[in-house]
Amino acid sequence: GENVEQHPSTLSVQEGDSAVIKCTYSDSASNYFPWYKQELGKGPQLIIDIRSNVGEKKDQRIAVTLNKTAKHFSLHITETQPEDSAVYFCAARPDNYGQNFVFGPGTRLSVLP
Amino acid sequence: DGGITQSPKYLFRKEGQNVTLSCEQNLNHDAMYWYRQDPGQGLRLIYYSQIVNDFQKGDIAEGYSVSREKKESFPLTVTSAQKNPTAFYLCASSGTNGGEKLFFGSGTQLSVL
């Protein structure tokens, strides 16, 4: 079945710097890759997603890139702000898994003022 | 406000006791899910339901049970057979017919006394 790895597990950056989180997946049939942000004591919220027929997607300070050949996708956050501090999860949806997702273990991002 | 409501926020279970976590949504979504979150791990799927009166086991269903008698409600029972129930439990929903985005509740922290 699908397996999603995520690196790094923790990441600290200075305010204003960029942050990059990378995920790899194993099932080449996976076709949808969302990223979720989880603040302390809350449920995850979708921040950006990308489909397998697209290489890059951008939404203001957040971008996601996908390399299908290498089976990895990355989250890029530019001009980081303290409110970006949270745990970020990537996920992959295998084509034969219905509406279900396989999640990475998460990255705890700390933006230092 | 449209969304997913989980209750209670905190729950304590005595040994040998069954406890039920509530999940209600007013998004008119067909599909609902229960995930378990342990520190340092990704979200793992317990059960999911794509339509009323139907549900399927996820990856870690042992020791749990669910029901889906109404479209808006998907309660999860943690039975005494679940030997390690301490975790953060998240309920989610999504629309069908291509509705890929998961909407999460704010979670229930279950601890064992």
Side-chain angles (χ1 to χ4, degrees):
Chain A
E2 176 65 281
N3 180 50
V4 177
E5 297 185 354
Q6 184 172 347
H7 299 280
S9 57
T10 60
L11 179 60
S12 293
V13 299
Q14 290 294 134
E15 184 176 355
D17 287 350
S18 295
V20 181
I21 303 169
K22 182 175 175 178
C23 287
T24 59
Y25 61 98
S26 60
D27 189 343
S28 57
S30 287
N31 56 18
Y32 175 66
F33 307 92
W35 284 91
Y36 288 85
K37 175 183 180 182
Q38 185 177 26
E39 297 175 348
L40 193 62
K42 297 184 179 180
Q45 280 195 306
L46 179 71
I47 55 171
I48 197 166
D49 56 8
I50 192 167
R51 296 176 189 272
S52 57
N53 60 349
V54 175
E56 183 174 358
K57 184 175 178 180
K58 204 171 182 179
D59 183 4
Q60 299 183 354
R61 296 186 297 109
I62 295 173
V64 56
T65 58
L66 172 66
N67 184 326
K68 283 177 59 179
T69 303
K71 289 189 279 189
H72 68 71
F73 56 111
S74 298
L75 177 71
H76 305 254
I77 306 174
T78 59
E79 300 172 23
T80 54
Q81 301 166 4
E83 51 265 37
D84 294 328
S85 296
V87 178
Y88 291 81
F89 292 97
C90 62
R93 189 186 68 176
D95 192 43
N96 60 350
Y97 206 32
Q99 288 285 86
N100 300 321
F101 298 84
V102 177
F103 286 84
T107 296
R108 181 173 297 281
L109 173 64
S110 299
V111 179
L112 308 174
Chain B
D1 274 340
I4 300 181
T5 302
Q6 288 188 241
S7 62
K9 193 167 180 63
Y10 300 97
L11 188 58
F12 297 91
R13 193 191 89 166
K14 295 179 183 177
E15 199 158 331
Q17 187 181 42
N18 293 353
V19 292
T20 297
L21 285 60
S22 170
C23 178
E24 304 275 331
Q25 55 100 357
N26 60 4
L27 299 167
N28 200 31
H29 284 168
D30 287 314
M32 296 187 74
Y33 311 79
W34 275 106
Y35 289 92
R36 172 178 170 141
Q37 185 174 26
D38 294 282
Q41 295 191 37
L43 283 65
R44 292 184 290 169
L45 184 64
I46 305 172
Y47 267 98
Y48 66 101
S49 167
Q50 295 188 328
I51 197 167
V52 174
N53 291 324
D54 187 43
F55 49 83
Q56 287 79 40
K57 293 181 179 180
D59 300 318
I60 54 165
E62 186 174 349
Y64 300 97
S65 66
V66 293
S67 62
R68 187 84 189 276
E69 297 177 2
K70 298 187 296 183
K71 185 175 183 178
E72 58 270 21
S73 179
F74 191 41
L76 173 73
T77 296
V78 184
T79 74
S80 57
Q82 173 49 246
K83 298 307 178 189
N84 184 24
T86 297
F88 191 55
Y89 291 86
L90 286 161
C91 179
S93 71
S94 69
T96 51
N97 298 324
E100 295 162 318
K101 294 177 172 56
L102 285 177
F103 291 81
F104 285 89
S106 55
T108 293
Q109 176 64 50
L110 175 63
S111 303
V112 177
L113 290 176

